[in-house]
Each structure stands twice: as structure tokens, then as C-alpha cells.
Amino acid sequence: MTGDDGSGLVVCAALRLEARAVRRGLARAPAVVVGYRARHAARLPDRAAVAVVGFGGALDGRLSPGTVVVADEIRGGGKPVPCPGARARAAELAGGGLRVHVGPLVTADRVVRERERHVWAADGACAVDMESARVAAALPDGTPVAALRVIVDGPHHPLLRPGTVTRGLAAWRVLARTGPALERWAAALA
């Protein structure tokens, strides 16, 4: 199941911008673009482990832009998908100087508004994206999956406001620092 590069990991991002950021920190694993709402997830190469990365929205008002949310489970595609090793990945990222939070990630089919944020936050979820559950659903059973999102917007930082571009650039720089932890996670699984 491992690829030609021997890493056994493929890193997925919705946007080319996100894939370009995470590629900066990857030594061997490929970063592929799965598209908005993971339209191309069915075309993922067969790998031993998959990581879904990119930008996300905070559901918890305590999470500020630039915080890395490491999912311990992915919700939104039926049965929640566990993400093995989330706490170890988070500790490694925090040791590298990043702000990190561990918790459930919800995949939505659209940009969420305030009312939905409150409902999902009350259910314990801390962040939202539009791809992770779709990617996880496209994987063969038993494939380990990791998901991490760098917060760009949230209850106190709405998406469609001035400042989003600045927050996005800062999030891009944070995302570029996550690749080594993802590769070490995949190597530990092997």
C-alpha cells in the first residue's frame, strides 16, 4: 500500500494554496489537491495513511486564528471516524511553537453561520471544514486518517470580513510547519 517514495502517506488539501503550504514541510510524502468539498477524493492514490489538512473555521470561540486544530475524530459523514495519535501529533506541533488544540472536527456542506456554530460547539466539536469526512469516507476500511486545520475564521473573526486575507496568510505560514509531524505520524504507524 505504500507509494514509490516509501512514505506510505498522502497528504490531501482542498486548495492548491493549502497543498503548496504543507508541501514546504514534507520531505517525502506527496500533497495532493482533492478540491473544494473533496470532489476528487475518489482519485486518491492507494496509501497506508492519509492526512487531510488545510484551513478551517473555529466553532469554539476560545480558538483564535492561527491555532492548529488536530482532530481526534472526524464527524459529518455518518459514523464518526477516529484519528489515531492525535494527542501525540498535537504535542509535537506544540513543541515546535505552534498553538494547538485537540478535539472533534465536523465536515459541513457549506460555510457555516453563527447558529450552526453554536449547535456543533454545544455537541463538543471545536472546528469545521468541508473535506475531511468526505475524504475519510472515500478511503478503504482501516486506513488510518489524520485531520488538522489551521483556524482562519470563527465566532469572533467572521470569514467574510476585512482581515480574512491577513489571517489567511498567517494560517498559510502555520500550515507550512505541519508536514514533518504528519510524516513522523505515518512512519510510526508502519
Side-chain angles (χ1 to χ4, degrees):
M1 251 177 123
T2 60
D4 295 338
D5 64 5
S7 70
L9 171 69
V10 65
V11 179
C12 306
L15 307 173
R16 282 189 172 99
L17 178 73
E18 294 165 327
R20 206 169 333 168
V22 76
R23 260 187 215 117
R24 292 176 61 110
L26 295 171
R28 298 173 14 168
V32 299
V33 177
V34 294
Y36 178 68
R37 294 187 187 162
R39 290 186 312 259
H40 308 296
R43 297 188 292 194
L44 285 172
D46 190 24
R47 292 299 173 114
V50 174
V52 189
V53 303
F55 308 134
L59 299 172
D60 184 331
R62 296 172 295 176
L63 299 179
S64 60
T67 300
V68 179
V69 173
V70 177
D72 57 5
E73 75 175 10
I74 301 167
R75 300 175 182 174
K79 184 179 176 185
V81 177
C83 298
R87 297 225 178 265
R89 256 185 329 285
E92 184 173 350
L93 291 165
L98 299 176
R99 287 184 316 236
V100 184
H101 184 83
V102 177
L105 174 69
V106 175
T107 297
D109 60 359
R110 65 192 172 291
V111 174
V112 297
R113 303 290 181 222
E114 201 63 27
R115 172 176 267 147
E116 290 170 302
R117 284 184 196 272
H118 290 300
V119 169
W120 283 334
D123 195 32
C126 60
V128 62
D129 74 358
M130 291 195 272
E131 293 81 29
S132 295
R134 289 177 179 86
V135 169
L139 299 174
D141 287 343
T143 302
V145 63
L148 65 82
R149 293 292 166 163
V150 180
I151 298 302
V152 173
D153 65 290
H156 306 299
H157 306 279
L159 183 60
L160 303 174
R161 295 285 195 279
T164 299
V165 172
T166 303
R167 291 191 309 270
L169 290 172
W172 190 90
R173 288 190 293 275
V174 171
L175 188 57
R177 296 172 58 191
T178 62
L182 295 170
E183 286 185 322
R184 284 190 285 278
W185 164 72
L189 293 172

